């Protein structure tokens, strides 16, 4: 039986409105002092966890839920303090705890940009010895192996429930008590344990006996977007508790923060603890279960062995995130420090081979998206200055201060003074040849990006502003970025014959203008 929340929600909302009306015009009560009473004084951790699990009705053998997971793309957004771009996944999850298996159906969209392809509908199966996924858009319907770390936007709806978290705590041999934590105005008991390489804390409210949330501290090694920050902390709150017809308690909301920033918000729109009619079909094991492959290692991120010559003295090492090198005669300037310290080390090895005995004067970081700047720590550790947009200095300083205690990188091991220098509007990194001019973007959606002009190469570097489909057309969502790039160059009288970017090989700016409906012979006329 799926428990519907719609009618009950309308009743609750109406009651809330009446309550607010009754309070209108009255003074707000004084804030109550935080409770200083110890929570569960002297009670062993296992007893608290068992009591909390009983309080919610125990760990169900079957969990069948429908949920909406809204994820703030805090790694990609135009402002690090929000508001953030967001995507939304509609997830149906079926968990058979007795046999350690689960099935998920997930459809992901970006509500603010429905044209953007987020992968469409997917099926996911998870077993104790592996996991697999397949996409509805794949005509072969082939099951493919997938490390579970890549599936958390779906699996979070079942692995982060109170029953799952409390069961993990009780299964941990190191379950213990931590210091009480004040949450929501009073001290909560803190149950600590380790599982799957993460340090967990579960918070239990002494008045209700319910778990109020949890936190995890871990090295986000296997996540491309999070690994830049070394040791990360995820903390979560349960909210909007309901009780099902058979007496089980379940929170309808799960709010998750990453390093203190709002990250994932899960709304449970349907919950059942009974096997559905298609139970066996949904949980069927692919035969064979494909190999999930190696866990993601950001330090082993691939990049081309050989550089592509873009112009005289300008080369690019191509990969998922391109890195370019400009030879200025008196030294080299590297453009971008993406992905990881390990990728930076690989790039530096390539540079040492291809430009022997040539010093690196600086690396220029042109964007604040986390994968774009994650390799900057390695340059700082080696004493190489990082040039950057003024608006991006705070996030770069946060990056350099990030703790890497669990899996230390070079900067964590040896330390170094941060050599961060703003590259101002129109400022020139000069050399014997191939001067580089900094051009902060002047546009609608690119305020944390910086373009670069290399006059000797008749080349404009556009940060992340050029994104193309396989046929060479500008992606729908990126047309405004490309227009911002041309506007920025025209404003500074720095338009070049070609333009390139982190994810784009050089293209004619006349072709760009034509795709954008501008005059290819005089695109700057549109920005007068």
């Amino acid at each position: 039986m799926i428990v519907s929340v719609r009618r009950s929600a309308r009743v609750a909302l109406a009651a809330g409105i009446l309550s607010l009306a009754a309070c209108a015009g009255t003074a707000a009560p004084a804030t109550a002092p935080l409770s200083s009473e110890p929570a569960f004084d002297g009670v062993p951790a296992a007893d608290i966890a068992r009591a909390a699990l009983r309080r919610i009705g125990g760990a169900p053998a079957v969990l069948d839920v429908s949920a909406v997971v809204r994820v703030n793309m805090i790694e990609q957004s135009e402002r690090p303090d929000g508001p953030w771009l967001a995507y939304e996944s509609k997830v149906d999850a079926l968990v058979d705890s007795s046999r350690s298996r689960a099935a998920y159906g997930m459809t992901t969209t970006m509500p603010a940009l429905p044209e953007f392809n987020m992968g469409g509908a997917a099926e996911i199966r998870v077993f104790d010895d592996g996991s697999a996924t397949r996409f509805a858009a794949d005509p072969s319907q082939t099951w493919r192996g997938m490390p579970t770390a890549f599936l958390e936007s779906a699996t979070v709806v079942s692995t982060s429930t109170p029953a799952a978290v409390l069961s993990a705590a009780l299964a941990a041999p190191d379950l213990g008590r931590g210091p009480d934590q004040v949450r929501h105005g009073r001290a909560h008991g803190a149950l600590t344990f380790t599982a799957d390489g993460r340090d967990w804390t579960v918070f239990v409210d002494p008045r209700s006996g319910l778990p109020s949330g949890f936190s995890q501290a871990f090295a986000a090694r296997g996540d491309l977007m999070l690994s830049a920050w070394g040791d990360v902390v995820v903390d979560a709150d349960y909210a909007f508790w309901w009780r099902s017809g058979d007496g089980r308690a379940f929170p309808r909301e799960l709010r998750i923060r990453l390093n203190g920033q709002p990250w994932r918000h899960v709304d449970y729109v349907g919950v059942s603890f009974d096997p559905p009619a298609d139970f066996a079909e949904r949980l069927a094991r692919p035969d064979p279960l494909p190999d999930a492959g190696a866990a993601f290692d950001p330090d082993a991120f691939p990049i081309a062995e050989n550089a592509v010559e873009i112009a005289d003295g300008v080369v690019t090492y191509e990969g998922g995130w391109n890195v370019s090198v400009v030879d200025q005669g008196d030294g080299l300037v590297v453009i971008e420090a993406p992905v990881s310290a390990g990728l930076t080390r690989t790039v530096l090895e390539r540079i040492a081979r291809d430009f022997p005995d040539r010093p690196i004067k600086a690396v220029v970081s042109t964007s604040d998206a986390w994968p774009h700047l994650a390799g900057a720590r390695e340059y700082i550790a080696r004493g190489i200055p990082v040039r950057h947009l003024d608006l991006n200095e705070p996030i770069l300083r946060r990056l350099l201060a990030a703790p890497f205690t669990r899996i230390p990188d070079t900067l964590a091991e040896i330390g170094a003074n941060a050599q961060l220098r703003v590259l101002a509007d129109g400022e020139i990194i000069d050399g014997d040849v191939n001067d580089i001019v900094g051009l902060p973007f002047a546009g609608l959606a690119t305020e944390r990006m910086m373009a670069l002009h290399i006059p000797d190469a008749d080349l404009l570097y556009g940060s992340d502003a050029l994104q193309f489909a396989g046929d060479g057309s500008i992606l729908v969502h990126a047309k405004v970025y490309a227009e911002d790039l041309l506007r920025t160059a025209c404003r500074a009288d720095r338009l070049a014959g070609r333009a390139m970017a982190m994810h784009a090989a050089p293209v004619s700016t006349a072709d760009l203008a034509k795709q954008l409906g501008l005059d290819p012979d005089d695109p700057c006329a549109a920005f007068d």
Side-chain angles (χ1 to χ4, degrees):
M1 172 183 70
I2 294 286
V3 181
S4 173
V5 303
R6 292 184 179 89
R7 181 178 180 278
S8 297
R10 288 198 299 269
V11 172
L13 179 60
I17 292 171
L18 290 173
S19 176
L20 288 172
C23 294
T26 62
T31 302
L34 298 179
S35 171
S36 59
E37 298 177 3
F40 303 104
D41 193 18
V43 181
D47 291 349
I48 298 171
R50 279 190 287 266
L53 193 57
R54 287 194 300 271
R55 185 80 172 83
I56 63 175
V62 173
L63 177 65
D64 186 10
V65 298
S66 297
V68 177
V69 183
R70 184 176 177 85
V71 181
N72 287 328
M73 300 171 69
I74 53 181
E75 79 284 353
Q76 297 284 358
S77 299
E78 62 184 355
R79 297 188 184 106
D81 53 352
W84 296 275
L85 296 168
Y87 67 84
E88 186 174 278
S89 296
K90 295 180 179 179
V91 181
D92 295 314
L94 177 61
V95 180
D96 177 10
S97 299
S98 65
R99 296 179 59 182
S100 300
R101 56 182 182 164
Y104 304 86
M106 179 171 67
T107 302
T108 301
T109 59
M110 188 179 292
L113 194 64
E115 305 92 340
F116 190 77
N117 180 11
M118 293 293 293
E123 289 182 77
I124 299 164
R125 305 278 171 86
V126 178
F127 304 89
D128 58 1
D129 59 345
S131 58
T133 185
R134 63 182 178 182
F135 291 89
D138 178 3
S140 72
Q141 287 293 288
T142 301
W143 286 102
R144 306 182 189 280
M146 187 72 71
T148 54
F150 285 83
L151 308 175
E152 286 194 6
S153 288
T155 60
V156 66
V157 306
S158 62
T159 58
S160 297
T161 64
V165 171
L166 289 169
S167 296
L170 288 167
D174 61 348
L175 176 62
R177 293 285 305 270
D180 288 353
Q181 299 288 321
V182 174
R183 296 168 67 86
H184 315 306
R186 58 175 170 266
H188 283 54
L191 313 182
T192 62
F193 64 98
T194 56
D196 298 325
R198 303 185 177 194
D199 293 335
W200 284 75
T201 304
V202 181
F203 305 104
V204 182
D205 185 336
R207 292 189 184 177
S208 68
L210 294 172
S212 61
F214 62 83
S215 72
Q216 306 169 4
F218 58 99
R221 181 70 173 181
D223 190 306
L224 172 63
M225 301 304 173
L226 306 188
S227 59
W229 300 102
D231 307 345
V232 300
V233 176
V234 169
D235 66 285
D237 288 311
Y238 299 122
F240 204 30
W241 286 83
W242 292 67
R243 193 174 294 282
S244 65
D246 60 359
R248 294 183 181 274
F250 196 91
R252 292 292 180 163
E253 292 188 17
L254 172 63
R255 300 172 184 174
I256 304 174
R257 292 168 295 278
L258 174 70
N259 287 346
Q261 292 183 301
W263 186 29
R264 292 172 172 155
H265 189 142
V266 182
D267 289 314
Y268 292 93
V269 296
V271 181
S272 172
F273 305 102
D274 301 319
D278 58 354
F279 181 77
E281 178 184 350
R282 287 171 62 185
L283 289 167
R285 180 186 179 93
D287 185 19
L289 183 67
D291 183 4
F296 173 74
D297 181 357
D299 282 346
F301 199 83
I303 196 160
E305 176 69 26
N306 297 309
V308 176
E309 186 174 20
I310 304 301
D312 189 18
V314 182
V315 302
T316 294
Y317 297 96
E318 295 181 336
W321 281 263
N322 295 343
V323 178
S324 297
V325 180
V326 179
D327 186 350
Q328 294 191 314
D330 60 342
L332 308 173
V333 176
V334 181
I335 301 177
E336 307 299 5
V339 179
S340 69
L343 181 65
T344 294
R345 288 192 292 270
T346 300
V347 168
L348 291 174
E349 290 168 5
R350 303 270 199 277
I351 292 172
R353 178 198 65 194
D354 296 340
F355 299 89
D357 303 319
R358 201 59 73 86
I360 296 176
K361 298 163 61 175
V363 58
V364 183
S365 179
T366 70
S367 159
D368 72 337
W370 297 355
H372 295 186
L373 50 77
R377 289 176 56 93
E378 185 73 16
Y379 286 100
I380 292 296
R382 294 176 182 231
I384 298 171
V386 175
R387 305 299 303 272
H388 58 87
L389 182 69
D390 53 356
L391 290 174
N392 293 341
E393 181 158 341
I395 196 168
L396 281 164
R397 291 203 176 277
R398 278 174 43 211
L399 178 77
L400 300 181
F404 276 72
T405 62
R406 295 167 185 265
I407 305 178
D409 63 359
T410 308
L411 185 59
E413 289 176 340
I414 68 174
N417 293 323
Q419 297 186 58
L420 297 178
R421 287 184 57 196
V422 169
L423 183 58
D425 190 0
E427 184 180 352
I428 299 173
I429 302 176
D430 59 358
D432 298 336
V433 292
N434 286 329
D435 290 351
I436 299 172
V437 185
L439 302 174
F441 269 77
L444 296 175
T446 48
E447 69 174 40
R448 287 316 204 267
M449 295 187 204
M450 176 169 55
L452 304 172
H453 183 217
I454 308 173
D456 288 352
D458 193 23
L459 186 65
L460 192 63
Y461 179 81
S463 187
D464 199 22
L466 298 181
Q467 300 175 26
F468 297 101
D471 62 1
S473 62
I474 303 171
L475 292 172
V476 172
H477 75 278
K479 287 185 176 181
V480 66
Y481 306 156
E483 183 178 300
D484 285 354
L485 174 60
L486 294 183
R487 177 184 289 108
T488 298
C490 290
R491 177 210 63 176
D493 196 22
R494 290 280 182 181
L495 187 65
R498 294 186 302 162
M500 60 181 283
M502 180 177 283
H503 300 297
V507 296
S508 162
T509 51
D511 288 344
L512 278 181
K514 187 174 182 179
Q515 286 202 51
L516 295 169
L518 306 177
D519 182 353
D521 296 321
D522 186 14
C524 292
F527 308 117
D528 289 343

